Amino acid sequence: MLTTPAPPLRLASAAALALLAFATAPRAHEAGRVVAVPDVPVREHAALQCSPGWPVWLKDFGTSRRGEGTADLAYAGRAASGERCFFLTEAGGSILFCRVAQPGDSGAVSIALEPVGFDAGSLEALAGYRKWNLQALALEPEPGRAAAVRSTLADTLGGVLVVAGSGMERGDPTGVLRVRFERPAAGAAWRVATEGEWIAGAAFWEPFVLPTGSLTGIGRAPNFTYLGLSRLLPRGELNVLGTMIFVYDHERERVAQVVTRKIEVNSIGGMHALADDFLVLVDRDRLALAVLRWDAETPGSVVACDRFPLDLPAPGGFRYAIPALEGVTIDERGDIWCVVGPVRQSYRPLEAAAPETLRVYMEAEIPILYRFPGERVWRETGLADLWRAEER
């Protein structure tokens, strides 16, 4: 879908016409770009329930450190001690290293949070942004694995980081940066170094960035990078367009733009690329997980879409409003992790019997971390062999 024009968008809105006009206009280093509107049936599945012991508050009860507007999470692998490790991006401009321990994968969960430092080069690179709104993060895939996931925690990890802005018209661009996480020795503090722009001069996403919707998802596969736009229309407007996924082909140096209207993906809160032809994302508006399969021969062409609603209780099983899915990642055994961030003035219990601690934590706007067993997802989407290959 990178070189053959797609049929025109059959949408009556002026926004849709402007979208198509921009998408087909050639620009340097973006030749061959085209809008695709996938027209495949969406396969609906039963809702996913949390793993035993989940969800939990994103809070380190030993240090009182907690998530502050957590926007994304990226799985970094298992530590030698067996803990699962993640990097968390915060909308306030910080990054946290998160260690999760759960004996037997079903017992009590403990969370350890540590601040990640910024080297001098990172501070200089970020100084040009009006606000350090660190939204989306993807780590480079581990070579030699069937699925693009990490396994063992390494001391140096490359990645791609999105610094979200509110749009060029406001003089607040969105940046996509190459980064490197490193620690001098096991147990030492992590720090992040910035290695410049992800693609020098690229800004193909900018005409679609809104003050209420920037890039909120990124997925790294061996040969492709996927970028997900939060939404195509401002919040509160009737969503007739869905949103947009950018598919960048590293070998051809071309990008395809995929409008998600027909596959019923309304918004994007986070992404994880499992392989060149499989992308997992969370739809914030629908509170659902979507698994997209791409045509390996024509990147940008969606050939299958599976949707799994997510059951999102608060810790203790109580219901609350409004869950805002802010990221998704996948561990080496295929389990799915996501975080729900607080929506100011809307993050509150819905049940009169909810304990006072729940009310206090929600009033303090502490995010919630979720873990879902992936076995059923991969079996029902035909991806079970991907994980069996990892076990061999």
Side-chain angles (χ1 to χ4, degrees):
M1 195 63 69
L2 294 176
T3 56
T4 303
L9 296 174
R10 291 182 173 86
L11 299 175
S13 70
L17 297 175
L19 174 67
L20 181 59
F22 170 79
T24 55
R27 297 174 71 187
H29 81 271
E30 295 174 22
R33 182 180 47 172
V34 67
V35 162
V37 187
D39 193 6
V40 298
V42 178
R43 295 192 292 249
E44 295 282 355
H45 300 261
L48 291 179
Q49 311 294 322
C50 293
S51 298
W54 295 85
V56 299
W57 297 106
L58 193 48
K59 178 179 172 68
D60 183 334
F61 288 93
T63 64
S64 294
R65 192 171 288 120
R66 33 121 355 142
E68 299 275 1
T70 304
D72 201 4
L73 72 171
Y75 184 64
R78 294 286 282 266
S81 57
E83 297 163 308
R84 288 179 171 85
C85 301
F86 305 81
F87 289 103
L88 311 176
T89 58
E90 307 279 292
S94 61
I95 299 176
L96 296 175
F97 179 63
C98 175
R99 292 180 287 119
V100 177
Q102 187 181 23
D105 285 339
S106 60
V109 179
S110 64
I111 301 287
L113 296 173
E114 305 163 16
V116 174
F118 293 84
D119 75 354
S122 293
L123 294 174
E124 183 178 347
L126 292 169
Y129 292 94
R130 182 183 301 176
K131 180 182 177 183
W132 292 12
N133 183 357
L134 307 185
Q135 272 292 323
L137 173 67
L139 298 177
E140 296 294 332
E142 186 174 330
R145 295 185 63 86
V149 295
R150 309 296 307 183
S151 55
T152 303
L153 181 67
D155 290 327
T156 301
L157 294 164
V160 186
L161 174 69
V162 172
V163 186
S166 56
M168 290 292 287
E169 290 185 1
R170 294 171 173 249
D172 188 20
T174 292
V176 184
L177 306 174
R178 291 185 182 275
V179 294
R180 184 179 69 257
F181 294 92
E182 54 191 11
R183 56 179 178 175
W190 286 90
R191 68 174 186 172
V192 61
T194 300
E195 301 179 328
E197 293 180 296
W198 168 57
I199 302 172
F204 48 79
W205 51 84
E206 279 297 349
F208 308 107
V209 170
L210 301 169
T212 57
S214 187
L215 294 178
T216 49
I218 187 167
R220 279 289 292 118
N223 300 302
F224 295 90
T225 297
Y226 297 91
L227 294 169
L229 193 70
S230 173
R231 60 187 66 248
L232 277 173
L233 296 173
R235 287 196 183 102
E237 290 194 18
L238 179 64
N239 192 344
V240 296
L241 293 176
T243 188
M244 181 175 284
I245 299 171
F246 302 94
V247 186
Y248 184 76
D249 184 327
H250 287 265
E251 182 179 355
R252 302 178 189 177
E253 298 184 343
R254 294 181 176 180
V255 61
Q257 297 172 176
V258 180
V259 178
T260 64
R261 174 176 58 95
K262 288 190 176 181
I263 54 174
E264 302 174 16
V265 172
N266 286 352
S267 62
I268 291 173
M271 285 180 165
H272 186 110
L274 263 184
D276 283 336
D277 50 352
F278 289 103
L279 178 70
V280 177
L281 62 86
V282 286
D283 187 333
R284 178 171 170 166
D285 289 355
R286 287 184 175 273
L287 301 179
L289 182 87
V291 182
L292 306 185
R293 180 170 184 169
W294 308 84
D295 186 329
E297 299 302 319
T298 53
S301 177
V302 178
V303 296
C305 178
D306 292 80
R307 183 164 61 225
F308 296 81
L310 297 176
D311 186 35
L312 298 166
F318 296 93
R319 297 294 162 181
Y320 68 99
I322 300 170
L325 289 164
E326 297 288 0
V328 65
T329 193
I330 300 169
D331 67 24
E332 83 287 347
R333 57 179 270 175
D335 281 358
I336 299 155
W337 303 67
C338 60
V339 64
V340 159
V343 176
R344 192 175 296 276
Q345 299 177 340
S346 299
Y347 195 52
R348 64 186 187 279
L350 294 176
E351 300 177 45
E356 185 62 23
T357 52
L358 180 64
R359 301 180 188 279
V360 169
Y361 281 21
M362 288 195 158
E363 206 167 298
E365 299 182 349
I366 299 177
I368 303 174
L369 181 63
Y370 291 81
R371 177 184 177 185
F372 296 93
E375 188 274 336
R376 180 165 68 86
V377 173
W378 315 129
R379 184 181 71 249
E380 293 181 9
T381 56
L383 290 173
D385 286 345
L386 191 67
W387 301 100
R388 281 194 284 267
E390 296 289 11
E391 296 170 1
R392 290 197 287 267

